[in-house]
Amino acid sequence: MSAQGRVVLAGVPLGNPGDATDRLKDALATADVIAAEDTRRARRLASDLGVTVGGQIVRYDDVTEQRQTDGLRDRAVAGATVLLVTDGGMPSVSDPGYRLVAAAIAADIPVSVLPGPSAVTTAITLSGLPSARFCFEGFPPREPGKRRSTYAALASEPRTMVFFESPKRIGSSLADAVAAFGADRDAAVCRELTKTHEEVRRGTLGELADWAKDGLLGEITVVIAGAPPPRAEDAPDAAELARRVALAEAGGVPRKEAMRAVATAVGVSRSVVYDAVQAAKRSES
């Protein structure tokens, strides 16, 4: 155990052990404690890399993160090197990590990172979509209504967007993306990155939603092009404006916010959208 404890976050291979760095191998061999999202996968990774683990491996996942953080911090305070690894990619990126980092910083414990693979940057590089500016949105909500609300709020986002998604929900998630972003929006679905069955499917959201409607296998990253600059002359007609507002409302977005989002997305004033919604209400009565 070192005199000065520390917390080390390490990026681990997404699937191909050959992507591991020498620094990761050394950290696995020398850490006093390895906090792993899945202890079995951490042991398998060490075995694949020919590393003999000398420290203790403990579980640190979404279920145990909150109750384990203080104990790991205390061990670092006592002089231990605590290594944090996930099942693949970088800790803290839609995976456990930030709570331990925050606790370590608050306790004046040194924190360092061993850079490594990331599904986010790997997917956006493979997508063929603009990558100078992008945003990572993590996993969309599981509940359909909340997911539709999330997508509706991003309808006018100009940056390329990156999402993680469950193989069981990918079909319905892409269908909701079509409703929010339009069937013609360019996108890519990246599956099993760096693994034997890696697959990248590029096309419009409509095409991808049809392809994935029955679900997919493996770990999935979705990349969606940002919204093009709005042009007033291309604005949808009143009925379509009202439909988009109704769709956002159905997903839980308050009406005023929905009208504001639709107006921004299509490049018209909020009064135009308001009039379209009122006309739709009159036609229904």
Side-chain angles (χ1 to χ4, degrees), residues 69-120:
T69 294
D70 288 350
L72 291 170
R73 175 205 59 203
D74 292 345
R75 295 187 70 168
V77 167
T81 293
V82 178
L83 175 68
L84 178 60
V85 297
T86 65
D87 290 346
M90 290 297 302
S92 294
V93 182
S94 278
D95 278 321
Y98 83 90
R99 284 190 176 91
L100 181 55
V101 172
I105 292 171
D108 290 326
I109 299 167
V111 178
S112 59
V113 172
L114 305 183
S118 167
V120 176

Side-chain angles (χ1 to χ4, degrees), residues 124-146:
I124 198 168
T125 300
L126 286 170
S127 71
L129 296 172
S131 57
R133 298 179 67 238
F134 67 90
C135 57
F136 173 57
E137 295 293 329
F139 281 93
R142 296 185 180 192
E143 298 85 349
K146 291 182 179 179

Side-chain angles (χ1 to χ4, degrees), residues 6 8-12 19-31 49 51 83 85 111-116:
R6 61 190 181 121
V8 181
L9 285 73
V12 302
D19 293 333
T21 66
D22 289 340
R23 294 179 68 195
L24 172 61
K25 296 175 186 177
D26 182 67
L28 288 168
T30 61
L49 298 178
V51 172
L83 175 68
V85 297
V111 178
S112 59
V113 172
L114 305 183

Side-chain angles (χ1 to χ4, degrees), residues 18-49:
D19 293 333
T21 66
D22 289 340
R23 294 179 68 195
L24 172 61
K25 296 175 186 177
D26 182 67
L28 288 168
T30 61
D32 299 301
V33 185
I34 299 174
E37 190 175 8
D38 185 324
T39 57
R40 292 171 298 180
R41 292 185 68 163
R43 290 190 177 92
R44 188 184 317 128
L45 174 63
S47 176
D48 289 342
L49 298 178

Side-chain angles (χ1 to χ4, degrees), residues 3 18 37 42 46 52 91 97 105 107 117 120 137 158 163 200-201 210-211 217 225 237 245 257 259 275 282:
E37 190 175 8
T52 300
I105 292 171
V120 176
E137 295 293 329
F163 301 86
V200 179
R201 183 67 66 100
D210 184 63
W211 166 68
L217 297 176
D237 60 21
V245 172
E257 184 180 333
M259 290 192 293
D275 290 344
R282 288 193 297 270

Side-chain angles (χ1 to χ4, degrees), residues 182-201:
D184 294 333
R185 184 78 69 90
D186 288 332
V189 175
C190 305
R191 188 179 70 84
E192 294 289 87
L193 289 170
T194 78
K195 300 176 184 176
T196 302
H197 300 292
E198 176 180 285
E199 180 179 19
V200 179
R201 183 67 66 100

